Structures are given as C-alpha cells and as structure tokens.
Amino acid sequence: MNDTSKKTTPKRISQQELESYLWGAAVLLRGLIDAGDYKQFIFPLLFYKRVSDVWDEEYQAALAESDGDLSYAEFAENHRFQIPAEAQWQAVRQAPKNVGAAIQKAMRAIEAANPDMLDGIFGDAPWTNRERLPDATLKNLIEHFSTRTLSVANVPEDELGNAYEYLIKKFADDSGHTAAEFYTNRTVVHLMTQLLAPKAGESIYDPTCGTGGMLISALDEVKRSGGEYRTLKLYGQERNLITSSIARMNLFLHGVEDFEIIRGDTLANPRHIEGDRLRQFDVILANPPYSIKQWDREAWSSDKWGRNFLGTPPQGRADYAFQQHILTSLTAKGRSAALWPHGVLFRNEEQAMRAKMVEQDWVEAIIGLGPNLFYNSPMESCIVVCNRHKAAARKGKVIFIDAVNEVTRERAQSFLKPEHQQRILSACQAFADVPGFATVATLADIAANASNLSIPLYVKRQTAAPANADEAATRQAAWVQWQTDGRAFWQQMDALVETLDGLCSTRPVAQIIPMPQKAKSPVQPAFKRAVLAAEIVHQLHREQRFGSVKLEKLLFLSEKHFGLEADMQSHYYRQAAGPYDPKAMRSIVSNLRSHKWFDTSKINGRTHYTPLEKVGLHTDYYARYFAHARDSINLLITRFKAASTEQCEIVATLYSAWFDLKAKNEPFVDEDIIREVTHNWHPSKQRIEEARWYKALAWMREHRLTPESVGDLV
C-alpha cells in the first residue's frame, strides 16, 4: 500500500499555481492530439489523481487516529472512495511499459470498486492507442501530475472546483468548434441563477447539463445566500458520454455528493423518471442546443410523457420541444430560466405554441442580452424565465428587459460585469417599467401582438438628447442612434425572414411574392462572392489562424453546402491546399480594396486583412443577398473559427472528393473518399495521417456538413 513513514505536509497550492499546473498537463499533449480532445484525457487523469490523493489523506488521518493500525486505516468506513491496491496512483506511476493500459486498468478497477458513485466516470478515452499517446508522453503526464499533492487540506474543494472550471474554459478557448456545446458563458449562467434564487432543500435540474456549470452555479448561489447547500439535490442529463463524465467529475471535485447525472438524449429518452411520469423539479436552468433538425418529431407528436401539451414543433427547429420538456418538468412551485436565440420569441411557425405558453401565465420575464455572449458567435441571446407559482402582483403580466447594452468586451471576450447583472436582476425584482430598459406588459398586450414576444415591441429605446437644444447632435449621439435604428430594423427583417421561411415550407417564395414585371439587373457573381468573403473576413480577421487559404475553404464550403454555386460561378481546382480558385481569390482582393472594406498584406507567408475606412458597410448587402442562408453561414464560420488552416483544408478536400463521388451515382464507402483524396489529388495530401481523415469524416457527419445533407448544419 502506501509508505506510512512519510508524513510531511505538502505546501498549500495557490489558485494561480493550481491553474498553471493543470494547464501544464494539457500543454504536454500539444501536437499529438487535437485541442478538442484534451478534455477526454486530462480530466480523467486529474480526477484519478484527486481521488488517489484524498484516499491517501484519509489513510494517514485514520492511521494517526488508530496509533498506526494499518488494517484500521484501510477500512472502507474511513474513505469516501475505495482505491484498490493495484489501482493506486503510485502503482501506475511505476508501470515500466504499456502505461496507457495500466491507466485504463486502474480507472476501471476504481469504477468497479465504487459502482454506486463512480460507475463509468472516467469515460472511454483510447488510452491504449500507443500511436496517439506513446508511453513516453503518458509517463510525462503522470510525472507532471505527480509534482503536486491534490489532497483536501492542500487544495480545498472550492479552489479545486474553481480550477476545474478554469480548465473547462481553457479547453473551450482552445477547441473552437466544440466550445459552444462544451461551455456556456459563466457570467450569463450566474445571472440566470440569481434570477431563480435557488434555496436550501430545493431540487435543481439541467436537462442538457454539459459540464455541469449551471448546477455548480446554483450550488454557489445557495452558499452565497447563507443557505445549507448540502440539502440540495442536483440532477442533470447529457447526451455526450465524455461531457457527462466531466459533469460528474466537476460535481465531485466541488464537494457535491448528492447528485444524479444521467447520460442520454433528453428529447428521445428522458431518464429522470418518477413512477410513470417525469420527475419534477423546483428549479430548472438550461441552455439547450439550438434549432436542432435531427430529432424524432413523429414520436414527439404522441409523446408518452405528455410533453407536447403546447404542440409539435417543426422538424427543423426543436427549440419548443426542449421548452415544453422544461415546463413539464417543473413542480407546482417551480421556476425555470432557459437561454435561447431571439427567434423563439417571434418565429411565425411556432406562434401557436408560443401563444399557448403565454396563456398558461407561466412566462414571467423575457430578457434580451447583448452580442457575442454565445461562444465564438456574434449572435444575441435571450433568457426566457418561467414561473408556475407567480406572485399575485405578477399574475397576468410579463416583464420585458432590453439589456443589449449591458455587456463588456475585453481581450476578445464578452461578459456581464457584476453591475450589468445587478441592473438586470434589480429590474426583474422590481417588476416595474424603466424607460428604455424594462416594460411590464399584460397578457392582453401580448395577445394584441399575436403573442409575439420580440422585445422591441414592448421596450422602446430612448433617443439620446443633444447637450444643447440649439446644436446638432454630436457624432457620438448620431452613431448611437444609427446603431439603435439599425438593430431595430434588422430584428424586424429577421422576423420577416423567419415568417417567409415558414411559408416556404409548403410553397416556393415565387408564389408568395410575385416577381416584378421588369427585373432589376442581376448582381454580378464577383460582387456577391466579395460580399460573402467580406463577412467571413469581418468575423475572423483578428484570429491568429486566419488567412487567405482558410478564407477560401470557408467560401468553398459555403458555396457547396448551402447551394450558392449558381450565384458565385466559382471554378475550384484540385490543388495542394484543397479546392482552389485563383481567379476568384484575386477578384475578392480587388473588391475588398476597391470598396474600402479591407486591405491585404503578407506577413510571414500568411495573408493578413486590415480594416479600411468603410469596414462593416458590406453588411447590408450580406443581409440582402444571403438572408436565406445567413444563420447557417454564420454557424459555419463559428465552427471553424479556432480551427487551423490544415483542419479547414482537410474538411474542404473531403467535402469536394465526397461530392464528386456522389455525382457518379455509384456506391462508395469512407475508404473510397480517403483514397480519392490521397491518390487523385495533390501528392501533399499524403502528408496527413489517415486517422485524421477518418476523424474529420466523423466530425462532418456529426455536424451534418456533408453532401448527403446539403443545406443542413448543426
């Protein structure tokens, strides 16, 4: 077992030291695996080290209590977790070879020894893949983690929990394309928690819990209010195996023991059941996946749990399926806060369900937040607060809050400062009109607007008055007014587009909006292409990994996947970096300069884009030409924001090869796609490991970025 002669107390680790130590482990994996995969290795090792060190700490305490009785010190009653002798950290540390197999064996042994608490908690990382993780790398990882002792005395639960959250944020920053699914802005989460004010003894649930951040925030809120947080029972469901494991580890490392995180698809298979009905909870916090298209709509139409009481959402938008699941899962005194894109407030296709929800008188607050609070996305979000037990003074009323300006951006990160959160919270608590910021509307007011919950319908922005009535408005005031008017206009346009989308599901736009007798001159393809390029550059030009090659691959994927080819008239060739159209790229550079949007320059071989005096003025054209695909294109840009140029090359090349094979109308498999890429394209493709091609294909299928699902993207 353990060496009982060593009783020196390790030095207490500071928060900064702890964070540096944890991130140092991830650095050891750079160049070996993708950043998005760090989490499946680092988190299990961190948890393994923590439970091992806590077991040792408890062992030493029991030893001292029993005057050196070794048998007593090993009694199960003296330990929160059981660590079999062969699964001790030191045993793995001493493994001479096949280190990955030793780690995996130890983790499985710990799970088996703690079936009620730790079953499956370490996930299914491929520890035995020695090509990806050779023994030398794993030994370095083990030795790095061995430099610190993660006992409770040395690293209290709150501090380790904070460091764990830091690591979650860092992994989100580094992974890019998976960040939004993995991490929700914690300042927004804190606001949502404050709005619901969870209390000691209440049950708290997150139906799409991710890494457990909202549950931890609820726990912290009870602590801050002086409540007995140990009486809380936390529940969550998460579809992704790795992420659900991370959530469980997160709760354990925060010192939470009374929780239940279950893996599974919340819509298809809700797992929190009581008897023959859904379990109900006092507090529900949620940031569900937005507008998913791949879900079983037919099963929902006759849902056995009765979650379709408002209706059946359209196939392309499951948002109101999640919202109905949330409402069905509330107790009679329950309240919820869910984070959504603004479309849930006004989309025409969901009008009937939204009207029924409002008529239930459960909607308490609609809060519009500022831009860029969603991870790697410029979109604005909103919080929908519901309460099944409204105070008497709030019955038949809803407060609308326009908090779009309550946001701060520093070092490319957007967040809510404490004062922003407090202003929103105070307005919600006061439940009274605040000119230009908050409006209390009656259900009759909302019904008069056909149950449209769009915030500008209720909260009228105030125009900034000039300092001197005799003077013209200052440039700053004019700028603010222009922004305000522009935002209101585009919100109205978004609503119109959403309405047209709903109508287009049954008949083409040409049947709804007659074409004018004399058509306007067609827009030149080169200009349309330049506008699309300008939008991509506008969103990404500050990113270190962005250059002309990445721009071209995103243009290619946009054109191919969203059916823009006819308008663009591009001609892509099989070149070293993937699909390549030199003529189009030269035209784009010329247009960006001539319209004074961006200039280009070469620095260390990479093209850099510098904003010119008319930067941003392409957006009107972008909204006009690409209204039907704007959200999808923005999502595509987000998916690749943090990706390397080579990752973009891999996906674009696979898409092109896949598209060509599909056009032949002959059966083919993944091996054929990869063979096409590595043998019939540029010889440089052979530099890329075969495993990366297969992984990219899996990622493309996961996000529906394939020629089999043109127009779709998740």
Side-chain angles (χ1 to χ4, degrees):
M1 263 308 171
N2 295 59
D3 184 356
T4 61
S5 64
K6 297 179 181 180
K7 298 184 179 180
T8 57
T9 303
K11 179 186 175 185
R12 175 80 175 262
I13 308 173
S14 70
Q15 196 71 40
Q16 186 175 357
E17 289 172 334
L18 184 59
E19 291 173 359
S20 177
Y21 159 76
L22 294 180
W23 183 243
V27 172
L28 294 173
L29 296 179
R30 283 198 164 156
L32 293 169
I33 63 173
D34 290 341
D37 292 335
Y38 289 172
K39 56 184 179 288
Q40 65 177 317
F41 299 101
I42 301 301
F43 285 127
L45 271 182
L46 167 61
F47 189 70
Y48 178 23
K49 183 65 164 60
R50 172 66 165 190
V51 296
S52 296
D53 287 352
V54 169
W55 193 98
D56 288 343
E57 181 179 40
E58 293 165 344
Y59 180 87
Q60 294 294 339
L63 206 62
E65 182 183 324
S66 64
D67 296 323
D69 188 332
L70 299 180
S71 297
Y72 175 81
E74 293 182 5
F75 284 170
E77 291 81 358
N78 291 318
H79 301 277
R80 276 179 276 183
F81 308 108
Q82 303 308 307
I83 311 290
E86 70 277 10
Q88 291 280 330
W89 181 267
Q90 290 300 326
V92 172
R93 189 180 181 186
Q94 293 164 11
K97 59 181 181 179
N98 297 327
V99 181
I103 292 172
Q104 188 174 69
K105 184 179 178 182
M107 288 178 175
R108 296 292 173 259
I110 293 172
E111 290 175 344
N114 304 271
D116 294 334
M117 299 177 69
L118 303 184
D119 182 49
I121 198 167
F122 291 108
D124 61 350
W127 293 103
T128 58
N129 186 338
R130 298 177 70 180
E131 290 187 3
R132 254 185 124 189
L133 290 173
D135 279 353
T137 299
L138 289 175
K139 279 185 173 294
N140 287 339
L141 269 175
I142 293 289
E143 288 306 310
H144 177 82
F145 274 110
S146 298
T147 61
R148 299 285 189 177
T149 300
L150 301 180
S151 62
V152 175
N154 200 27
V155 188
E157 288 162 341
D158 285 350
E159 293 181 15
L160 185 61
N162 290 338
Y164 192 87
E165 285 282 303
Y166 160 84
L167 205 57
I168 290 173
K169 173 67 164 61
K170 287 284 289 183
F171 286 168
D173 288 339
D174 231 40
S175 65
H177 65 269
T178 60
E181 302 159 16
F182 186 60
Y183 182 84
T184 304
N185 189 302
R186 294 300 188 250
T187 63
V188 176
V189 173
H190 185 209
L191 170 64
M192 293 167 68
T193 308
Q194 292 181 95
L195 289 167
L196 299 187
K199 300 176 179 60
E202 290 191 313
S203 56
I204 301 173
Y205 173 54
D206 184 344
T208 53
C209 68
T211 57
M214 288 188 172
L215 297 174
I216 296 296
S217 179
L219 181 82
D220 290 341
E221 184 62 26
V222 174
K223 286 183 181 178
R224 280 192 295 269
S225 63
E228 180 46 72
Y229 67 93
R230 294 179 182 84
T231 62
L232 290 175
K233 185 67 181 289
L234 306 180
Y235 300 84
Q237 184 162 340
E238 169 56 42
R239 183 173 65 175
N240 183 279
L241 172 62
I242 294 170
T243 309
S244 65
S245 296
I246 292 169
R248 293 171 66 198
M249 292 183 234
N250 196 5
L251 289 161
F252 272 124
L253 295 177
H254 276 86
V256 184
E257 294 184 6
D258 194 6
F259 67 84
E260 191 175 353
I261 305 295
I262 306 177
R263 183 192 173 203
D265 186 318
T266 301
L267 293 186
N269 185 25
R271 300 288 303 279
H272 291 283
I273 307 298
E274 245 179 5
D276 59 351
R277 64 175 179 84
L278 292 183
R279 184 188 293 272
Q280 294 185 315
F281 308 93
D282 301 314
V283 174
I284 300 179
L285 293 149
N287 179 17
Y290 303 136
S291 301
I292 61 172
K293 297 175 174 60
Q294 302 305 308
W295 66 292
D296 195 340
R297 183 175 185 268
E298 184 177 350
W300 182 270
S301 65
S302 56
D303 184 65
K304 68 178 182 178
W305 306 108
R307 296 176 294 172
N308 58 347
F309 67 103
L310 299 180
T312 300
Q315 183 64 59
R317 306 185 194 274
D319 300 336
Y320 271 87
F322 282 108
Q323 183 66 19
Q324 290 181 88
H325 174 86
I326 291 167
L327 296 175
T328 307
S329 301
L330 285 173
T331 64
K333 65 171 184 177
R335 57 227 185 261
S336 67
L339 193 60
W340 292 113
H342 278 267
V344 302
L345 304 179
F346 57 74
R347 288 192 298 242
N348 183 68
E349 57 199 333
E350 296 153 332
Q351 190 271 340
M353 290 181 291
R354 188 167 53 247
K356 289 180 182 177
M357 181 176 70
V358 172
E359 289 165 7
Q360 295 275 356
D361 198 17
W362 291 355
V363 180
E364 188 165 53
I366 304 292
I367 303 165
L369 302 177
N372 296 295
L373 290 169
F374 280 85
Y375 211 91
N376 285 338
S377 171
M379 72 181 293
E380 295 178 7
S381 53
C382 66
I383 301 172
V384 177
V385 180
C386 293
N387 191 342
R388 287 197 61 182
H389 190 62
K390 285 184 178 181
R394 300 187 177 193
K395 290 186 182 296
K397 300 174 185 176
V398 178
I399 188 168
F400 292 83
I401 299 174
D402 184 0
V404 69
N405 293 321
E406 304 300 310
V407 64
T408 292
R409 189 164 181 83
E410 295 178 2
R411 297 188 294 275
Q413 300 291 322
S414 295
F415 58 95
L416 306 178
K417 287 184 173 180
E419 54 264 37
H420 298 146
Q421 298 176 43
Q422 189 56 52
R423 190 185 184 203
I424 297 167
L425 182 62
S426 297
C428 220
Q429 291 172 337
F431 212 77
D433 290 356
V434 180
F437 185 69
T439 300
V440 176
T442 65
L443 298 192
D445 295 332
I446 298 171
N449 284 321
S451 299
N452 189 324
L453 300 177
S454 183
I455 295 169
L457 288 175
Y458 305 93
V459 183
K460 307 302 180 185
R461 292 205 169 172
Q462 294 182 311
T463 305
N468 189 320
D470 298 326
E471 296 178 2
T474 63
R475 291 183 180 181
Q476 180 62 29
W479 172 251
V480 170
Q481 184 59 39
W482 183 84
Q483 287 185 309
T484 300
D485 293 344
R487 178 173 176 269
F489 170 77
W490 286 114
Q491 280 195 336
Q492 294 170 27
M493 289 299 296
D494 286 344
L496 177 60
V497 170
E498 294 285 355
T499 300
L500 293 175
D501 281 348
L503 295 172
C504 288
S505 63
T506 56
R507 52 187 176 137
V509 174
Q511 294 178 351
I512 303 166
I513 306 175
M515 292 293 292
Q517 292 182 349
K518 184 177 179 181
K520 295 180 179 178
S521 301
V523 181
Q524 293 298 316
F527 183 66
K528 274 194 174 182
R529 189 188 305 115
V531 169
L532 178 56
E535 178 62 22
I536 296 171
V537 174
H538 191 66
Q539 292 194 34
L540 299 182
H541 72 277
R542 294 186 181 88
E543 299 295 319
Q544 290 185 347
R545 291 178 161 184
F546 183 69
S548 60
V549 176
K550 189 170 182 177
L551 168 63
E552 186 172 44
K553 304 316 157 226
L554 289 175
L555 283 168
F556 168 79
L557 290 169
S558 298
E559 293 173 27
K560 279 287 188 184
H561 197 63
F562 303 121
L564 308 177
E565 287 181 291
D567 289 338
M568 302 302 185
Q569 298 180 15
S570 303
H571 299 281
Y572 290 94
Y573 304 98
R574 298 185 171 192
Q575 294 294 329
Y580 177 58
D581 186 345
K583 183 179 178 181
M585 294 305 293
R586 288 193 297 271
S587 170
I588 285 169
V589 171
S590 176
N591 268 288
L592 293 178
R593 285 174 178 162
S594 65
H595 289 89
K596 298 182 180 180
W597 296 337
F598 289 94
D599 198 3
T600 62
S601 59
K602 286 277 188 179
I603 304 176
N604 297 325
R606 184 186 295 274
T607 301
H608 286 253
Y609 297 87
T610 305
L612 297 177
E613 57 263 40
K614 294 186 178 180
V615 64
L617 295 186
H618 73 282
T619 54
D620 286 354
Y621 298 112
Y622 179 61
R624 193 185 312 163
Y625 301 152
F626 302 99
H628 64 293
R630 184 172 56 171
D631 289 346
S632 298
I633 295 170
N634 289 342
L635 180 57
L636 180 72
I637 297 169
T638 297
R639 288 277 177 258
F640 285 94
K641 183 175 182 178
S644 67
T645 298
E646 190 172 72
Q647 288 170 316
C648 293
E649 172 195 345
I650 289 171
V651 172
T653 305
L654 284 170
Y655 196 104
S656 182
W658 193 337
F659 195 95
D660 291 345
L661 287 172
K662 185 173 182 290
K664 294 179 180 180
N665 289 319
E666 298 175 359
F668 61 91
V669 295
D670 286 0
E671 288 82 357
D672 297 318
I673 302 174
I674 294 169
R675 190 180 302 110
E676 176 75 10
V677 166
T678 55
H679 289 78
N680 296 332
W681 280 61
H682 196 277
S684 66
K685 299 301 178 191
Q686 296 177 14
R687 79 188 190 280
I688 299 171
E689 297 176 357
E690 189 177 74
R692 293 187 68 188
W693 294 112
Y694 280 105
K695 183 174 180 179
L697 284 173
W699 182 89
M700 290 166 70
R701 285 196 175 92
E702 179 186 354
H703 294 282
R704 297 192 60 77
L705 184 61
T706 75
E708 310 293 343
S709 52
V710 170
D712 201 1
L713 188 67
V714 295

